[in-house]
């Protein structure tokens, strides 16, 4: 019988020391987050007007987070990280009045707080579970990872609907119809827009990366446990924990290298320096662990491939979304002939980048196969893929810092515009904001790649656990399941984008109503009713996230019971392939459209108010729900479906006395599960697609029919 702390008792002296050291490093990461919190909080907040706007954004953000209760660690990462970002934005705005270097430092270090929480809590939870449960740790970690994954799905979908409904509504009425600046305080949607940046990119991405962090550990431990049982060596499980500890340490050290070497330097160069320093420290650590602990350099090469993948994805995404690179310049040029050509150029960029990204991911799997190719079992190769995912997310602290930097810079820029700060500060913040768009796109690319690697490793664990001899696409059941799996990301994205469009419809009408009917709003003598738009965004997010979540949870269960385990494996393959392609396409196309707009707002092709600018705003609003709602939400979708498949597969088989399994086949219980599952999905899809289900409730309160006033 497994007893408490068995894993610790059977470990060697070095392994015991290593586990204790991992716990210490995890706690150190959390303490560093506390240290940075205190450091950022001491920075000045600026004028009374700046503080007033910042407090309004913070209040709206807290209202949204009130309904996010569930997986505690994941919620803590999102909640604390987002609130820190909400406090840092005004401090970055104030720092921009005197120093570009100081503004960059505050923004990046505030983002690092979320990164350290993700690193520290993820590593702490995984290590404690291993020490306590030992051989049962993978089963417990499946539940731990699923809690974080499901919450991440809720936060990604809900947060994405919130942020993009507000953004689209604010832009189309403010910029296109009224001809006012992006963050003009007269626009009733502007506070909801600024809140949404934090909801989607701080809380949402933090939860997303956190669950990737856990799922890669889960997959490595499941495969590592099988190898431990086969070889008698515990390092198959402990090595991934040591790698993660090295990542926490490298992120702490590299934070201090992210600073401009001169005033006005491109902030992306400073962020790249920090990222490469963290990568170098991590790679050295991998070599030492592999050489002196496992005595097998294949561990070093596998994790280093993961680092190389992360760096490659960073530079690839930077190329396709950065303002100074060819693709964004081409999209900006296309605006000279209208919104249609702008949209076509962005679509082409997104499609090309998706192909490039999947080739890089495929190469990482090829290298894993080469590294472990001398092994007789395919299990070793897939363990190498899991280590590649572990290595890729070693730099989680840096990845999250980069992502959170985006909304912090965006909010700071909004506060500066609404507070009418001096031109020098505005330009500093505009430059940081443009870089923030790229860093957000980079983090999305890394998150998507990590989702694929984690899913492939879980796929292998599923294959090994249930002793599948083959996954034969020639079988009609497997091929049909593969086709259905490939359709799921499209249906899921459709639901998310439609939800943004519906919510934006009511926000646009609300903003129009307030401009037309609340005396003093148009003139700027009276504040609009910001809370009204925040309420619409929050209500839409809460109502619309349930259907996509139900589809992710129920669809693999229905497929497994209906067609069997081999077909379920085909279903997973379809989800992984199409999900990755679609996610990268949407994330990079949206990021490129956004930055093309920003280059025009900086004066290119006539600048703000020009026809090119109006075309770029249309392209940006098309890209908004792609890059910040549907695209990022596909990451947790892929992992939720994989985890549900691994967890629920045990219900689809009957253990045999001789060992192995047989599938349950059709019986009253399985038929009931299939029928109920199909009905739940069908009813939820019908309710979501039927515009009246959401529309009638809000139509009664909409700007066109609900009397309000100051």
């Amino acid at each position: 019988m497994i007893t408490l702390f068995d894993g610790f008792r059977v470990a060697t002296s070095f392994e015991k020391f290593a586990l204790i050291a991992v716990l210490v490093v995890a706690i150190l990461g959390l303490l560093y987050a506390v240290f940075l919190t205190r450091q950022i909080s001491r920075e000045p907040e600026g004028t009374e007007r700046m503080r007033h706007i910042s407090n309004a954004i913070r209040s709206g953000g807290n209202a949204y987070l009130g309904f996010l209760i569930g997986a505690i660690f994941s919620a803590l990462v999102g909640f604390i990280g987002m609130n820190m970002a909400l406090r840092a934005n005004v401090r970055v705005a104030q720092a921009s009045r005197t120093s570009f270097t100081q503004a960059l430092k505050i923004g990046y270090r505030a983002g690092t707080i979320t990164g350290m929480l993700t690193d520290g809590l993820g590593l702490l939870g995984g290590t404690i579970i291993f020490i306590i449960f030992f051989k049962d740790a993978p089963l417990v970690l499946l539940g731990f990872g699923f809690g974080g994954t499901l919450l991440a799905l809720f936060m990604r979908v809900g947060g994405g609907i919130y942020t993009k409904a507000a953004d689209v509504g604010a832009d189309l009425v403010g910029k296109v119809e009224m001809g006012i600046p992006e963050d003009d305080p007269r626009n009733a949607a502007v506070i909801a827009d600024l809140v949404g940046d934090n909801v989607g990119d701080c809380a949402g991405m933090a939860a997303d990366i956190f669950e990737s962090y856990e799922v890669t550990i889960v997959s490595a431990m499941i495969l590592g446990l099988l190898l431990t049982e086969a070889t008698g060596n515990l390092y198959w499980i402990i090595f991934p924990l040591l790698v993660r500890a090295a990542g926490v340490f490298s992120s702490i050290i590299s934070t201090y290298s992210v600073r401009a070497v001169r005033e006005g330097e491109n902030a992306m160069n400073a962020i790249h320096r920090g990222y490469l320093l963290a990568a170098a420290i991590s790679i050295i650590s991998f070599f030492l662990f592999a050489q002196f602990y496992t005595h097998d350099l294949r561990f070093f090469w596998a994790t280093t491939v993961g680092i190389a993948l992360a760096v490659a994805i960073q530079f690839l995404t930077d190329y396709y979304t950065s303002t100074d690179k060819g693709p964004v310049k081409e999209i900006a040029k296309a605006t000279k002939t209208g919104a249609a050509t702008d949209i076509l150029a962005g679509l082409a960029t997104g499609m090309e980048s998706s192909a490039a990204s999947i080739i890089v991911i495929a190469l990482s799997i090829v290298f894993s196969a080469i590294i472990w190719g001398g092994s007789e079992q395919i299990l070793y190769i897939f363990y190498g893929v899991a280590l590649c995912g572990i290595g890729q997310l070693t730099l989680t602290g840096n990845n999250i810092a980069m992502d959170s930097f985006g909304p912090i810079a965006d909010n700071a820029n909004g506060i500066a515009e609404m507070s009418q700060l001096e031109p020098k500060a505005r330009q500093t913040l505009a430059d940081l904001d443009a870089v923030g768009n790229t860093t957000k796109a980079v983090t999305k690319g890394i998150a998507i790649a990590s989702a694929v690697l984690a899913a492939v490793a879980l796929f292998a664990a599923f294959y090994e656990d249930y002793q599948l001899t083959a996954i034969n696409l020639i079988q009609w059941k497997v091929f049909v399941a593969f086709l259905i799996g490939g359709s799921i990301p499209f249906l899921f994205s459709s639901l998310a984008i439609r939800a943004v469009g519906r919510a934006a419809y009511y926000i646009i009408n609300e903003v129009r109503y307030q401009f037309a009917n609340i005396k003093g709003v148009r003139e700027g003598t009276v504040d609009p009713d910001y809370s009204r738009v925040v309420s619409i965004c929050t209500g839409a997010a809460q109502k619309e996230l349930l259907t996509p979540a139900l589809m992710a949870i129920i669809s693999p269960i229905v497929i497994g019971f209906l067609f069997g385990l081999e077909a379920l494996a085909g279903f997973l393959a379809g989800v992984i392939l199409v999900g990755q392609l679609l996610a990268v396409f949407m994330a990079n196309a949206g990021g490129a459209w956004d930055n093309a707009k920003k280059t025009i707002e900086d004066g290119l092709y006539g600048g703000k108010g020009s026809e090119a600018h109006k075309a770029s705003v249309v392209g940006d609003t098309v890209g908004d729900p792609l890059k910040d709602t549907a695209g990022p939400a596909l990451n947790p979708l892929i992992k939720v479906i994989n985890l549900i498949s691994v967890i629920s597969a045990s219900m689809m088989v009957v253990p045999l006395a001789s060992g192995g399994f047989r599938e349950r086949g059709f019986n009253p219980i399985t038929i009931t599960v299939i029928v109920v599952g199909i009905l739940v999905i069908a009813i939820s899809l019908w309710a979501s697609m039927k515009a009246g289900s959401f529309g009638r409730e809000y139509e009664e309160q909409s700007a066109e029919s609900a009397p309000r006033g100051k």
Side-chain angles (χ1 to χ4, degrees), residues 235-430:
Y235 54 62
W236 301 100
I237 298 175
I238 291 181
F239 182 81
L241 296 175
L242 291 174
V243 167
R244 284 286 160 82
V248 175
F249 179 75
S250 65
S251 292
I252 292 174
I253 298 298
S254 64
T255 298
Y256 285 91
S257 68
V258 180
R259 61 179 67 198
V261 295
R262 65 182 185 279
E263 284 292 319
E265 182 193 19
N266 189 321
M268 200 66 202
N269 293 337
I271 292 172
H272 277 320
R273 281 198 298 272
Y275 201 84
L276 293 176
L277 176 60
I281 295 171
S282 297
I283 289 171
I284 292 171
S285 303
F286 301 165
F287 177 80
L288 295 176
F289 296 149
Q291 179 70 24
F292 298 106
Y293 173 43
T294 67
H295 307 294
D296 186 342
L297 287 181
R298 290 180 300 178
F299 287 83
F300 162 71
W301 289 115
T303 45
T304 300
V305 166
I307 291 282
L309 173 61
V311 173
I313 291 290
Q314 178 177 354
F315 282 96
L316 195 63
T317 309
D318 180 46
Y319 171 74
Y320 282 108
T321 62
S322 182
T323 55
D324 60 349
K325 300 298 192 302
V328 168
K329 290 181 178 179
E330 180 185 347
I331 295 171
K333 185 178 180 180
T335 63
K336 295 169 68 176
T337 51
T341 48
D342 174 54
I343 291 171
L344 288 173
L347 291 174
T349 294
M351 291 175 183
E352 181 183 313
S353 70
S354 189
S357 294
I358 207 165
I359 289 171
V360 170
I361 295 171
L363 284 174
S364 70
I365 298 174
V366 169
F367 285 130
S368 293
I370 293 172
I371 292 165
W372 299 88
S375 308
E376 295 180 0
Q377 300 181 44
I378 196 172
L379 179 61
Y380 286 87
I381 294 174
F382 280 109
Y383 178 77
V385 173
L387 284 186
C388 181
I390 292 284
Q392 187 206 12
L393 288 180
T394 297
L395 306 180
T396 289
N398 299 74
N399 293 334
I400 294 292
M402 289 164 57
D403 186 75
S404 296
F405 171 79
I408 290 170
D410 186 283
N411 273 207
N413 194 27
I415 290 170
E417 184 169 310
M418 296 172 73
S419 305
Q420 299 179 339
L421 294 189
E422 50 274 13
K424 180 178 180 295
R426 289 297 322 284
Q427 187 58 52
T428 292
L429 292 170

Side-chain angles (χ1 to χ4, degrees), residues 28 55 87 258 477 622:
L28 180 63
N55 288 334
R87 294 174 184 278
V258 180
K477 290 182 180 180
V622 170

Side-chain angles (χ1 to χ4, degrees), residues 402-656:
M402 289 164 57
D403 186 75
S404 296
F405 171 79
I408 290 170
D410 186 283
N411 273 207
N413 194 27
I415 290 170
E417 184 169 310
M418 296 172 73
S419 305
Q420 299 179 339
L421 294 189
E422 50 274 13
K424 180 178 180 295
R426 289 297 322 284
Q427 187 58 52
T428 292
L429 292 170
D431 293 342
L432 292 178
D433 189 11
V435 169
N437 276 336
T438 299
T439 61
K440 288 189 293 184
V442 166
T443 314
K444 289 182 180 77
I446 290 172
I448 294 164
S450 72
V452 173
L453 291 181
V456 169
L458 280 174
F459 184 80
F462 174 82
Y463 181 89
E464 291 287 338
D465 274 355
Y466 295 99
Q467 302 171 17
L468 296 176
T469 55
I471 301 172
N472 187 359
L473 282 176
I474 296 300
Q475 289 192 36
W476 71 267
K477 290 182 180 180
V478 179
F479 194 75
V480 166
F482 176 74
L483 294 178
I484 295 172
S487 73
I488 291 293
F490 278 95
L491 181 57
F492 180 89
S493 300
S494 169
L495 293 169
I497 293 170
R498 181 179 282 113
V500 171
R502 280 202 291 261
Y505 170 84
Y506 296 106
I507 291 168
I508 289 169
N509 282 332
E510 177 64 32
V511 176
R512 287 172 176 169
Y513 176 91
Q514 293 195 27
F515 272 121
N517 296 282
I518 300 180
K519 186 177 180 181
V521 168
R522 187 186 293 269
E523 295 77 15
T525 58
V526 173
D527 281 344
D529 186 358
Y530 299 124
S531 63
R532 173 72 181 171
V533 180
V534 169
S535 177
I536 293 174
C537 290
T538 301
Q542 291 172 341
K543 289 177 180 295
E544 298 279 2
L545 61 78
L546 186 59
T547 297
L550 284 174
M551 185 173 63
I553 294 168
I554 297 173
S555 60
I557 297 174
V558 170
I559 292 293
F561 276 109
L562 186 61
F563 294 134
L565 289 183
E566 191 176 342
L568 179 57
F571 175 81
L572 296 180
V575 171
I576 293 168
L577 173 63
V578 178
Q580 193 279 337
L581 287 169
L582 192 57
V584 174
F585 157 68
M586 291 193 288
N588 286 350
W593 273 317
D594 195 347
N595 270 348
K597 177 199 69 176
K598 290 191 180 300
T599 62
I600 293 173
E601 290 178 340
D602 284 341
L604 190 66
Y605 304 132
K608 293 182 179 180
S610 65
E611 291 303 313
H613 181 231
K614 291 178 181 178
S616 73
V617 171
V618 174
D620 180 38
T621 52
V622 170
D624 273 339
L626 271 63
K627 71 179 173 68
D628 289 324
T629 306
L634 287 173
N635 307 338
L637 172 77
I638 292 170
K639 286 171 282 189
V640 163
I641 288 178
N642 272 268
L643 282 169
I644 282 288
S645 299
V646 174
I647 293 170
S648 64
S650 61
M651 299 184 295
M652 303 170 191
V653 296
V654 177
L656 300 176

Side-chain angles (χ1 to χ4, degrees), residues 53 57 86 89 166 183 189-199 407 410-415 418:
I53 296 167
I57 300 170
L86 293 168
N89 51 25
D183 294 308
V190 72
I191 294 297
D193 183 13
L194 294 173
V195 169
D197 294 325
N198 295 281
V199 167
D410 186 283
N411 273 207
N413 194 27
I415 290 170
M418 296 172 73

